[in-house]
Amino acid sequence: MDQQQLFVKMAVDGWDQQIKFTNDTLDKISDEQLLSEISPGKNRGIYLLGHLVAVHDLMLPLLRFEEAAYPELVQPFIKSPDKTVADLPSVSLLKEQWNAVNEKLSAHIKSLPTADWFTRHNSVSEEDFAKEPHRNRLNVLMGRTSHLANHRGQIVLLVPKA
Amino acid sequence: MDQQQLFVKMAVDGWDQQIKFTNDTLDKISDEQLLSEISPGKNRGIYLLGHLVAVHDLMLPLLRFEEAAYPELVQPFIKSPDKTVADLPSVSLLKEQWNAVNEKLSAHIKSLPTADWFTRHNSVSEEDFAKEPHRNRLNVLMGRTSHLANHRGQIVLLVPKA
C-alpha cells in the first residue's frame, strides 16, 4: 500500500465509521421520537436527519460523482431553520433517502481511483486549485466526516434510556 | 508541498478548525451555564468539558509527545458517567486546563516532522503496526477530530439565544 492509498484508507475508514455510528444511533430511535426536539427549543431529530440527507446529497455533485437526487431538500433543511417550514417529508421517507444517498456515496467512494481523490472538488476552480491543492475531494470527505460527527452527537440525545 | 505534507496539512487543518469551533462555542457560554445539562437528564456541560480535557490530555502520550498532565481527570470524566462523582474540578480550572492541553498539543503538532506522523501511535505494537500501517499518529488526530466534533455539537446546545 503506497502513501496515497494509506491516506485514502484512513479518511474513508473515518467516514465509514461515522456513518455506522449514526446508523446505529438511528436504529435506536423510533420515527415518532425523531419528531422531538433534541433539547427544549432546539432542532428536532427530523430536521437534523433531513439536514444530513440534504448535505450528503450535495456531496454527489461536490465530489463530481453525479447530480444531486433531492434538490428539494435544500430549502427546508439547509436554507431554512427548523420549525419554519410547514410541510416536511415524512421521517420514513427521509430515512429511505438517507440510506439511498449513503449507498450511492459509498459505491462512488469505493470505486474512485486513489489518485483522483487528490483532484479538485467541484467548488474550486482549476486556477485556485493549482495554488491550493488541499482543496481536493478527499478533504471534502474529511470535512463532512466532522460535520456528521457533530450532528450525530446531537441525534444521540433522542435515544431512549434502556 | 509533497504528498505527505499535503495529507498532514489536511488533517491538521481539520483538527485546528474543530478546536476553533469549540473555543468559539465555549466563549459564548458562562461558567454557570456549563453546569447545566445539555438536555434534560443528559450530560452537563462541565462533564463534556472535563471529558474533552481528559481525552486530549491522553493524546499527549498516545501520540508519543509527552506524559499526560492531568491523569486525575480519567476517573471522573472518562471512566465514570456524569453525576456519579461528587467532587469535580471547577469550570474555571477545567477551562484553564483545556487551553493548556490544546496549546501543548498544538506546539507538538506544529513541530512534528512530516514523516513522523506516519509512524505508530503508542497503543499499537511495532509488530502490529508493520501489518496495519494506518494505525499511525495522524490517524489518531483524525479520529480525535471527529470525537471533538461530536461533543462540540452537544456543547453548542448550551449557547444562550441571542
Side-chain angles (χ1 to χ4, degrees), chain B:
Chain B
M1 188 179 288
D2 69 19
Q3 285 286 343
Q4 274 198 336
Q5 287 170 325
L6 183 68
F7 303 158
V8 170
K9 176 184 168 48
M10 289 161 62
V12 170
D13 282 356
W15 168 261
D16 286 344
Q17 188 183 45
Q18 290 302 320
I19 292 282
K20 183 186 182 312
F21 286 168
T22 306
N23 285 336
D24 289 349
T25 300
L26 287 171
D27 284 347
K28 295 175 189 157
I29 308 172
S30 70
D31 288 10
E32 197 184 332
Q33 285 159 343
L34 276 173
L35 298 175
S36 304
E37 294 171 338
I38 54 167
S39 183
K42 304 293 177 181
N43 290 328
R44 291 173 297 169
I46 185 177
Y47 179 81
L48 294 174
L49 176 61
H51 177 70
L52 288 174
V53 177
V55 169
H56 285 203
D57 190 46
L58 288 178
M59 290 172 69
L60 291 167
L62 185 56
L63 290 169
R64 300 196 278 122
F65 289 156
E66 61 179 283
E67 288 194 7
Y70 316 119
E72 70 277 9
L73 300 182
V74 171
Q75 187 62 43
F77 293 114
I78 295 181
K79 294 193 174 170
S80 311
D82 191 18
K83 292 167 268 183
T84 62
V85 175
D87 288 319
L88 293 184
S90 67
V91 168
S92 61
L93 178 58
L94 289 171
K95 280 188 173 176
E96 276 175 36
Q97 292 174 330
W98 169 247
N99 289 320
V101 71
N102 290 331
E103 277 167 28
K104 270 191 199 178
L105 281 168
S106 181
H108 284 292
I109 286 168
K110 282 178 187 23
S111 63
L112 193 69
T114 300
D116 289 10
W117 280 108
F118 299 91
T119 59
R120 72 178 179 86
H121 62 67
N122 208 28
S123 297
V124 61
S125 67
E126 296 277 8
E127 193 182 3
D128 288 346
F129 181 66
K131 288 174 280 184
E132 299 176 304
H134 61 280
R135 298 175 70 182
N136 56 49
R137 291 150 109 177
L138 198 65
N139 212 23
V140 168
L141 192 74
M142 290 165 66
R144 291 301 182 276
T145 299
S146 289
H147 177 264
L148 177 55
N150 182 292
H151 291 302
R152 211 261 316 181
Q154 299 175 330
I155 292 172
V156 78
L157 299 173
L158 292 177
V159 174
K161 286 193 182 166

Side-chain angles (χ1 to χ4, degrees), chain A residues 59-77:
Chain A
M59 289 172 69
L60 292 167
L62 185 56
L63 290 170
R64 298 195 280 122
F65 289 155
E66 61 179 281
E67 287 193 8
Y70 315 119
E72 70 277 10
L73 300 183
V74 171
Q75 187 61 43
F77 293 114

Side-chain angles (χ1 to χ4, degrees), chain A residues 2 8 20 29 34 43 45 48 68 71 77 85 90 92 97 103 111-112 115 117 134 141 146 155:
Chain A
D2 69 19
V8 170
K20 183 186 181 308
I29 307 172
L34 275 173
N43 290 328
L48 293 175
F77 293 114
V85 175
S90 68
S92 61
Q97 293 174 328
E103 277 166 30
S111 63
L112 192 69
W117 280 109
H134 62 279
L141 191 75
S146 289
I155 293 172

